[in-house]
Amino acid sequence: MTFSQSQLAYFDCDGAIRTPELLHRLLPNGGPLPEWLIDLREDQLGAPIKSSSSSKKRPIDPNGQRGCWIKKDNFHTRGGIHKRKRKLEARSVRDAMAPLNLAQHQRHYVHLMSRVLNIRTNASPFTLILDDLNQRAMPVVGELVRRALSRNVNVVVISFESTRFHSAVRSVPAHGQSSGEQIMQDLQKAMNDAKESLVVVDSLYELLNVEGIDMSAIFNLVAGKFASTLVGVYHQDMFPEQDPRNAYAPQPLDLIKYMATSVITCKSFAHVLAAKAAKERSLPEPTHGLLQGAEGIVQCLDANDHRGVVLEAEFRRKSGRPESETYFLRTARHSDYSVPTGGLPYGILKQEFVTLLDMVPAYGSQEVLGMVQAAANEIESTFNLGLTDKQKQAREGVVLPYFDAQKGEGGEGGRILYDMGSEDDFDEEEDEI
């Protein structure tokens, strides 16, 4: 096939490289592709050329989910242990483009959070979850563990506070007389017979400050050696002591924030609604818990809302550019997961139910905005400014001095018109003056 000079000017070379069928049609007599063209395509796309007839679709299970949800052969029982290596993922052209409209924006950010919650490969090697007494991270951690077990992922929990676990969860007790070296040995033993694992630390404060385990050591073990996912919970209402011998050392929270690939902050849904109501009325944002500064108050009445958790997430890309969004994670229901199969404790997730906060009806509905505006119209005062019916009648019966000037009969040179009453004390001498 030959092209003229004008046709070559409009020829899409990138499209030809991405389409194997078009490449074969460009060759005379359907001959083989030259070596330089094969090397060029593999260098740009990172994938060899395959014909459309040889491509196979991934299997779909009866529930309508693709077969890639469940990890196949994640646990090894014989023939030695084979560690999974973390592979670099090439970004497609569509992923590199910015969202064009609101629907694409919502779909893009929901997909980012869904990858983190579903423990997808290379989604977030180290996820940091920040919580406090007003909103604990247990609902988020429970959802992570539930989805990991449904995908046949090995779940290991380093427990400082938790005592009750699912039978499929492997617990590494870190309380009591356990030392940091013993915890690391038990963790490695719990991860040895699995390709991919989810390691959850329910208190990073005690792991770093009490047990004295270096954060880089556990990160290299989980994310480096075993190519797995590390999730740590840090309580923001626990303040570490400053070492006087090393006053310029960074705080542990600042260090793990720098190391984390995703940072999720948990907030109570009721507190977020109160903050929005204050913002609509141009009032300062209310404080809760320890931030109130009231003696003896550590937790508010609306803490740990049962309707769900508000998640302020920040995802760090490989380029260093962060992406931030606010989500709402409601409480999971039994209907969200299908019937367990294959001996797994949980079934496949039917549909993603984490959404953006702006998409929640209770947050952005007109009814809520109307209640906020109605509250803004009410005058807040320490005394009553209203009048009774008797007071209104007495006010209307009072004749003010300037009423005579409004009758249109003309004035008397600006003289004050005043009729003396019986209670007035008339003095002739003062009146003449």
Side-chain angles (χ1 to χ4, degrees), residues 401 404-405 411-419:
D404 291 341
E412 299 183 10
R415 188 174 66 88
I416 298 176
L417 303 178
Y418 179 72
D419 295 334

Side-chain angles (χ1 to χ4, degrees), residues 268-289:
S268 174
F269 186 51
H271 295 171
V272 173
L273 292 179
K276 181 184 179 182
K279 183 178 180 181
E280 293 289 341
R281 300 174 59 184
S282 299
L283 296 177
E285 184 176 341
T287 56
H288 307 281

Side-chain angles (χ1 to χ4, degrees), residues 17 72 74 112 125 136 150 192 195 234 306 312 320 372 425:
I17 292 177
K72 300 296 184 181
N74 190 37
L112 287 180
R136 304 306 301 267
S150 68
N192 270 334
K195 292 181 181 179
Y234 193 95
H306 65 279
E312 294 183 354
V372 171
D425 185 12

Side-chain angles (χ1 to χ4, degrees), residues 131 161 203 205-206 234-240 290:
D131 71 341
E161 304 170 351
S203 179
Y205 175 85
E206 298 188 24
Y234 193 95
H235 307 311
Q236 297 185 93
D237 43 22
M238 301 181 67
F239 303 100
L290 295 175

Side-chain angles (χ1 to χ4, degrees), residues 103 226 413 433:
F226 288 92
I433 296 175

Side-chain angles (χ1 to χ4, degrees), residues 28-83:
N29 301 326
L33 296 176
E35 294 294 335
W36 65 268
L37 186 56
I38 297 177
D39 296 339
L40 176 62
R41 187 177 189 275
E42 292 182 356
D43 181 63
Q44 291 191 4
L45 301 181
I49 298 177
K50 296 181 180 180
S51 61
S52 58
S53 59
S54 61
S55 61
K56 297 182 179 179
K57 295 183 179 180
R58 289 179 290 183
I60 301 177
D61 58 12
N63 295 321
Q65 301 288 342
R66 292 192 177 272
C68 63
W69 175 264
I70 300 177
K71 292 286 183 180
K72 300 296 184 181
D73 301 328
N74 190 37
F75 294 89
H76 299 280
T77 57
R78 64 181 66 179
I81 300 173
H82 304 281
K83 298 295 185 299

Side-chain angles (χ1 to χ4, degrees), residues 100-393:
L100 300 179
N101 50 37
L102 180 60
Q104 291 181 351
H105 171 84
Q106 295 174 350
R107 185 166 57 249
H108 169 71
Y109 280 98
V110 169
H111 179 66
L112 287 180
M113 177 56 75
S114 179
R115 283 175 55 86
V116 175
L117 293 178
N118 295 336
I119 320 297
R120 290 296 185 181
T121 304
N122 293 335
S124 178
F126 177 28
T127 301
L128 174 63
I129 303 178
L130 304 176
D131 71 341
D132 52 18
L133 291 176
N134 293 306
Q135 182 56 62
R136 304 306 301 267
M138 295 310 297
V140 185
V141 175
E143 186 62 27
L144 285 168
V145 172
R146 188 180 300 109
R147 297 191 182 192
L149 292 178
S150 68
R151 300 189 62 231
N152 196 27
V153 175
N154 180 33
V155 179
V156 182
V157 178
I158 302 178
S159 59
F160 290 93
E161 304 170 351
S162 306
T163 56
R164 300 175 59 185
F165 305 96
H166 193 276
S167 58
V169 176
R170 300 180 179 182
S171 173
V172 177
H175 46 75
Q177 302 297 327
S178 300
S179 61
E181 183 179 356
Q182 183 65 31
I183 292 174
M184 296 295 290
Q185 292 178 359
D186 295 343
L187 174 61
Q188 184 172 357
K189 182 179 179 181
M191 299 174 63
N192 270 334
D193 59 344
K195 292 181 181 179
E196 185 176 357
S197 303
L198 169 64
V199 179
V200 179
V201 183
D202 60 0
S203 179
L204 284 176
Y205 175 85
E206 298 188 24
L207 182 75
L208 302 177
N209 296 277
V210 179
E211 300 297 339
I213 298 178
D214 191 9
M215 192 65 210
S216 60
I218 188 173
F219 178 78
N220 292 333
L221 176 64
V222 177
K225 182 177 180 180
F226 288 92
S228 298
T229 303
L230 175 63
V231 175
V233 180
Y234 193 95
H235 307 311
Q236 297 185 93
D237 43 22
M238 301 181 67
F239 303 100
E241 297 180 358
Q242 183 68 38
D243 188 3
R245 296 171 298 179
N246 196 2
Y248 295 98
Q251 294 292 334
L253 181 58
D254 298 332
L255 178 62
I256 58 181
K257 277 185 177 180
Y258 179 79
M259 296 179 59
T261 53
S262 296
V263 180
I264 300 176
T265 305
C266 302
K267 290 189 175 182
S268 174
F269 186 51
H271 295 171
V272 173
L273 292 179
K276 181 184 179 182
K279 183 178 180 181
E280 293 289 341
R281 300 174 59 184
S282 299
L283 296 177
E285 184 176 341
T287 56
H288 307 281
L290 295 175
L291 297 178
Q292 288 181 330
E295 183 178 357
I297 296 180
V298 295
Q299 186 178 15
C300 295
L301 296 177
D302 295 332
N304 300 302
D305 198 331
H306 65 279
R307 291 173 290 183
V309 187
V310 177
L311 307 176
E312 294 183 354
E314 179 183 342
F315 309 100
R316 277 83 177 270
R317 286 186 171 272
K318 297 177 182 179
S319 61
R321 181 174 63 91
E323 291 187 278
S324 303
E325 190 54 75
T326 306
Y327 300 87
F328 177 74
L329 178 65
R330 63 169 175 81
T331 306
R333 309 187 185 101
H334 292 287
S335 58
D336 295 330
Y337 293 86
S338 59
V339 179
T341 58
L344 297 178
Y346 296 98
I348 298 174
L349 179 66
K350 295 181 180 179
Q351 187 177 3
E352 184 60 71
F353 54 86
V354 62
T355 59
L356 300 183
L357 182 61
D358 296 334
M359 301 170 60
V360 179
Y363 182 80
S365 63
Q366 296 297 329
E367 181 180 357
V368 176
L369 296 179
M371 295 174 60
V372 171
Q373 296 297 336
N377 294 330
E378 297 179 359
I379 301 177
E380 297 182 0
S381 177
T382 57
F383 52 88
N384 186 15
L385 297 178
L387 297 177
T388 62
D389 295 338
K390 184 178 180 180
Q391 292 173 343
K392 291 180 180 180
Q393 293 178 0

